[in-house]
Amino acid sequence: MVEPVGNHYVVARPVYSENSFNEEHEKLHRYHKTFWDNLKLYFRCSPQRAKKIALRFFPVVSWLPAYRLREWILSDIVSGINTGLVAVLQGLAFALLVNVPPGYGLYAAFFPVLVYFIFGTSRHISVGPFPVLSLMVGGVVTRLVPDDSTGSGNSTNISAINEERVMVAASVTFLSGIFQLLLGIFHFGFLVIYLSQSLISGFTTAAAVHVLVSQLKFMFQLPVPGFIKPLGIIYTLESFFSQITKTNVADLVTSLLVLLIVFVVKEMNDRYKEKLPTPIPIELLVTIVAGLISYFVNLEEKFNVAVIGKLPEGFQAPVAPDVGILQNCIGDGFSIGIVAFAVAFSVAKVYSIKHDYPIDANQELIAFGLGNIVGGSFKGFASSTALSRSGVQESTGGKTQIAGIVSSVIVLVVILAIGFLLEPLQKSVLASLALGNLKGMLMQFKEVGILWRKDKFDCIIWVVTFLATIFLGLDLGLAAAMAFQLLTVVIRSQIPSCTVLANVGRSNIYRNRKDYTDIYEPEGVKIFRCSSPIFFANIEFFREKLITAVGFNPLRVLRKRNKALRKIRKMLKKGELQVTPKGLISMANHTYESDEELDNNKIEELDQPTNMTDLPIQINWGTDLPPGITVPQVNIHSIILDFSSVSFLDFSAMTILKKTLKEFVRLDIDIYIVESHEGLLDKLERSAFFDEEIKPSMFFLTIHDAVLHILLKKDTASSPKLKLTKENSRSNDYVIIPRNGLRSRECTIPIETKF
């Protein structure tokens, strides 16, 4: 019974062990589904289930009929136009990261958007090229199709190399889409939880540095080869600085000027975003101006600058991926698919929380998987979502993926009609536009200091991820970062926080005894808490901390007692000890014997419970023992193990835990396990954990139940801390009544002393 009284409450109920509570309240033994039960349920078919699956697989069917045409259509059109213009320029710019002709970036900005419109669940992200993914694909492209080593540079060789590179990019994109689709079908969307925010931040920051280094050759127009191997960034910088004297000044000046303008205007967009009706489309304005200057001044001939050149007209026929390429980039395809999904899902989750609608991780995998399969078939490269582009779509009023369709129409117009207008544009301008979108990623360096103050483990994960990605490359760096992150989880769970608790405020509240002054510790009772799962990797640490908390090693004490019993039996047999009403009296001078003689090659017997049935007197280990016999003193009689934070206990840990508990029980110390999670008791019973020494009766509902049980059992009616009374109580009942509110120092706990 719980009765509210002002700002405190009164609780009256029996003292419960787990067994007594289950018996009184008739706990049901539920049937837990097996793997085959879940498999049958998963493949069960009914009209309702078929409809539910169809709606989940085609989300557009659920939201499109509810589209508010009059309220949303204008916002979606305006947002789509702005997003489409940005998508065109980013598609061209990010194609340079992939090391394919810029025109193929338009395909990557078109096909995935159409697929996501049908299968995606986010309403605000803009699907298309992403610089980190483009760089990862570019790494595969450069590795499988290196630069022309002959140095001939004729158009035939360049054209052949470009065709091969386009095929590699398309094939690895197709493969990553297959992986994403399979992961989505088999409900592996939870994999994204293994990519923490710190890991993603460190990875994207390092990738931004890789992007920066990769674009230097376009800004300075230098023939720097790609080095896709560990320490590749060092070799790239070495090659770059060795050729720095060959810089094309016109390209460099153009790049720096474009970068300066883009950074200044973007800063203005951020600072005055509340006052501006829409962000200034600086990428579009810069592209138009740079294109006009390049066309009318004829920069290509006068200053030998590199331009985009011929863009593909219309669409090319879909192609099947190259099987040989697929065999050489299986690992790359998987890592690209995981990174693409992790980045897109992170951005989608931000907008879903902001606008209060759900997203489905598994369906997102399916949507991006199908998008990459279709995009790869039409010679596009891997897609995800760009943070800046999604920001444009959301900030300009986009409500649904109708804005995405409008943006794809803009890309379509460029592909079919006006692409020729972009052909005179310098590649250095595209490189600068690509770098202009990296500001947000590069600014993530600020997170290091913040993470160090908040969580040092997260800070270390960020730094290790960044360094691994910088020096090992994107693929190996990601794998190393994930391995290190999982290692930190193992380390943190292997070294859990273990504390000794005490009663605070004379109530049923128990906290770390080091944190409070007003505490009460029942005499002879230790309350020990482990704030972690207990498994094979940390069970020894748990045992050591428990031994430290109680102040003695139970196995050592048990062996000392058994050795003492051997010595007493030997002395009684020789007549050196005499039994009197006052105890054992030594009748002769004691001669010391070594422990080795007493062991007599029977060390295994020392670990067994002490047996005094053959002795004429029961030995009290707390009183004076015969001369020459010393046994460590044990000043506790009960140990309470708080398992409220122990989410699981594996079989290896179970074996060592049972052995440890037996060592304490054999010293006549009572063990109580409290607040264990649902099902632990059943699991222990199934695992044959219990026997004559370790019994289910040691389990209690709460710490306070166990403490009250101990006080009753040990007859502590005279305790100065807890006032025991028979007034207004029934057998085994307790009542907690704070006298002066929650901070009161007085507490009455009526308990029937008979137990």
Side-chain angles (χ1 to χ4, degrees), residues 83-84 86-92 102-118 126-130 314-316 367 370-372 374-376 378-384 389 401 403-416:
T83 306
V86 175
V88 169
L89 299 175
Q90 288 187 348
L92 295 172
Y104 290 93
L106 298 177
Y107 300 149
F110 177 72
F111 290 105
V113 179
L114 301 180
V115 176
Y116 191 84
F117 173 79
I118 300 173
S126 175
V127 180
F130 178 60
F315 295 102
Q316 300 185 21
L370 292 174
N372 281 323
V374 174
F378 284 92
K379 297 186 177 180
F381 49 84
S383 66
S384 177
R389 195 170 61 247
Q401 284 300 328
I405 290 296
V406 175
S407 71
S408 66
V409 171
I410 300 298
V411 178
L412 179 65
V413 171
V414 174
I415 293 174
L416 296 180

Side-chain angles (χ1 to χ4, degrees), residues 731-742:
S731 179
N732 286 358
D733 280 13
Y734 75 81
V735 182
I736 303 173
I737 309 176
R739 295 293 188 187
N740 300 312
L742 297 178

